[in-house]
Amino acid sequence: MNFLKGKDFLKLLDFSSEEIGKLIDLAGELKAKKKNGEPHEYCKGKNIALIFEKTSTRTRCSFEVAAHDLGMHVTYLDPTGSQIGKKESIADTARVLSGIYDGIEYRGYGQEIVEELAKYSKVPVWNGLTNEFHPTQILADFLTIKEHFGYLKGIKFVYMGDARFNMANSLMVGCAKMGLDFVACAPEKYFPNKELTEICKEIAKENGSTITFEADPDKAVKGANVIYTDVWVSMGEPTDVWAQRIEDLSPYQVNKAIMSKAAENAVFMHCLPAYHDLKTTIGREMGERFGRDAMEVTNEVFESEQSIVFQEAENRMHTIKAVMLATL
Ligand code: CP
Ligand code: NVA
């Protein structure tokens, strides 16, 4: 099961299609074991550290529960609870923690930070989200798509909204690796960066799929099997970008009209958290300021039969468990 023993999990570009497929399958097996109440403490006695420089619900809980299920102990370092970056460099932190722990999860800002941590760590480092990539999320998304449709290759996957950040980047790489047709639907200035796009187009070609960008939502969603979106303003961005984002991205909100133009079997997905109503502090504040009752997705779509977001969220735990088991 530890077919990636000793490897870091920093971005999907570092893995072959076969390895990604094996991680998704392993997650499915571990999910079945958990549902059947079969113990699977394959990493008994090991210890892991979770470093979060940004907040989290799903990723933190998934790492903690997955670690416990595998028989491991966990230390959680919150955005204020360690010396990292303030009094101690990433290189020093890596050398200290890898002497104590068997694996290290890191969520933070630039991808170069997690890469640096991995460079100096003697034990596997797992990326729990950076500004550029969120690779464990994609494994959960693809396990969910596979559970729902039975396959990945040939799925038309449309990402709506700000396609320059961690989610669209990682989904584009994931789709290219696993043979899904990826469409980023956004105004041109929100398209993913050219260099990554070129790399993904090459990978997609090898796997018989396509990477395209489309500014017109009606055209983009035609025949789509999966419609995916993410928040318009990500963690770590200043709040004063909200006004411009709302103005630019409102036509890309996932609503009933958009869903009705997709394939009949289309599902709605979102990494979460989502601004689909006014029940959160930021959602309410921005809603009142800009006179809106939702941002990137309407409550109607979020709560609809087509929405598989909570199955997707649960799969974070099973896929993160697979990543730890495969690399430890
Ligand atoms: N999707 C996701 O990473 O959620 P959290 O920020 O709650 O971890
Ligand atoms: N783009 C979002 C993803 C959250 C899981 C963010 O970085 O805040």
Side-chain angles (χ1 to χ4, degrees):
M1 285 177 188
N2 52 358
F3 56 93
L4 297 172
K5 194 173 169 58
K7 272 199 94 165
D8 303 307
F9 191 76
L10 306 179
K11 56 186 184 300
L12 294 178
L13 284 171
D14 301 336
F15 295 89
S16 67
S17 310
E18 195 198 343
E19 286 169 334
I20 296 169
K22 276 172 85 174
L23 283 170
I24 296 169
D25 290 345
L26 177 58
E29 286 162 30
L30 292 166
K31 182 171 180 175
K33 282 193 200 297
K34 173 96 176 174
K35 301 278 173 203
N36 294 334
E38 277 176 53
H40 43 283
E41 294 187 320
Y42 303 125
C43 304
K44 214 176 165 82
K46 291 192 191 288
N47 295 282
I48 64 164
L50 308 180
I51 306 171
F52 280 83
E53 300 209 273
K54 288 176 178 169
T55 51
S56 167
T57 297
R58 276 145 293 272
T59 310
R60 175 190 174 179
C61 296
S62 295
F63 270 100
E64 291 213 13
V65 171
H68 291 142
D69 286 353
L70 290 171
M72 299 195 282
H73 298 282
V74 178
T75 303
Y76 170 68
L77 297 164
D78 76 9
T80 56
S82 76
Q83 314 283 23
I84 300 163
K86 296 173 280 286
K87 285 169 68 182
E88 194 156 34
S89 70
I90 291 295
D92 291 355
T93 304
R95 286 174 287 180
V96 170
L97 293 183
S98 65
I100 301 173
Y101 292 96
D102 300 289
I104 305 167
E105 179 276 355
Y106 176 85
R107 164 173 288 200
Y109 295 86
Q111 178 71 15
E112 69 283 358
I113 303 173
V114 78
E115 301 272 351
E116 170 107 341
L117 193 65
K119 183 176 162 197
Y120 288 96
S121 169
K122 292 186 300 222
V123 300
V125 171
W126 308 299
N127 179 356
L129 177 146
T130 59
N131 292 343
E132 290 81 4
F133 294 114
H134 194 8
T136 62
Q137 177 72 50
I138 289 22
L139 295 180
D141 298 341
F142 284 11
L143 173 62
T144 312
I145 294 170
K146 216 171 161 190
E147 286 174 342
H148 189 85
F149 291 99
Y151 58 95
L152 292 173
K153 239 182 189 7
I155 289 284
K156 180 173 177 184
F157 187 106
V158 180
Y159 178 91
M160 308 275 297
D162 184 355
R164 304 162 305 172
F165 221 67
N166 44 25
M167 282 313 307
N169 285 347
S170 315
L171 286 165
M172 180 165 72
V173 177
C175 286
K177 291 265 180 188
M178 302 311 285
L180 293 80
D181 292 320
F182 177 84
V183 182
C185 180
E188 212 173 316
K189 67 176 178 182
Y190 291 90
F191 286 169
N193 88 56
K194 286 206 165 58
E195 204 186 324
L196 183 64
T197 302
E198 287 316 309
I199 295 170
C200 288
K201 281 188 173 170
E202 280 306 306
I203 300 170
K205 215 189 289 167
E206 285 165 26
N207 294 309
S209 68
T210 53
I211 304 289
T212 48
F213 303 151
E214 174 57 63
D216 179 343
D218 290 354
K219 281 190 196 156
V221 301
K222 202 162 176 275
N225 306 111
V226 177
I227 297 192
Y228 199 112
T229 192
D230 180 20
V231 290
W232 290 341
V233 179
S234 286
M235 288 184 276
E237 293 199 277
T239 46
D240 60 13
V241 300
W242 270 103
Q244 190 65 51
R245 293 285 163 82
I246 289 173
E247 191 184 323
D248 293 340
L249 297 172
S250 290
Y252 300 86
Q253 183 194 54
V254 181
N255 51 36
K256 208 165 170 217
I258 285 289
M259 291 304 294
S260 71
K261 287 171 191 145
E264 217 168 298
N265 67 359
V267 292
F268 169 72
M269 297 182 74
H270 191 309
C271 54
L272 306 183
Y275 294 120
H276 61 95
D277 59 19
L278 302 182
K279 292 181 184 158
T280 63
T281 322
I282 297 177
R284 204 163 33 246
E285 192 189 318
M286 294 305 154
E288 279 164 11
R289 218 170 113 194
F290 298 101
R292 302 176 62 94
D293 57 9
M295 294 295 170
E296 71 276 9
V297 55
T298 59
N299 198 45
E300 191 179 21
V301 169
F302 187 88
E303 297 291 356
S304 70
E305 288 282 306
Q306 284 172 293
S307 171
I308 54 171
V309 296
F310 295 111
Q311 181 185 347
E312 182 185 0
E314 179 194 323
N315 284 340
R316 295 298 310 288
M317 198 281 282
H318 306 298
T319 42
I320 280 172
K321 192 184 282 177
V323 168
M324 291 197 288
L325 181 54
T327 54
L328 283 172

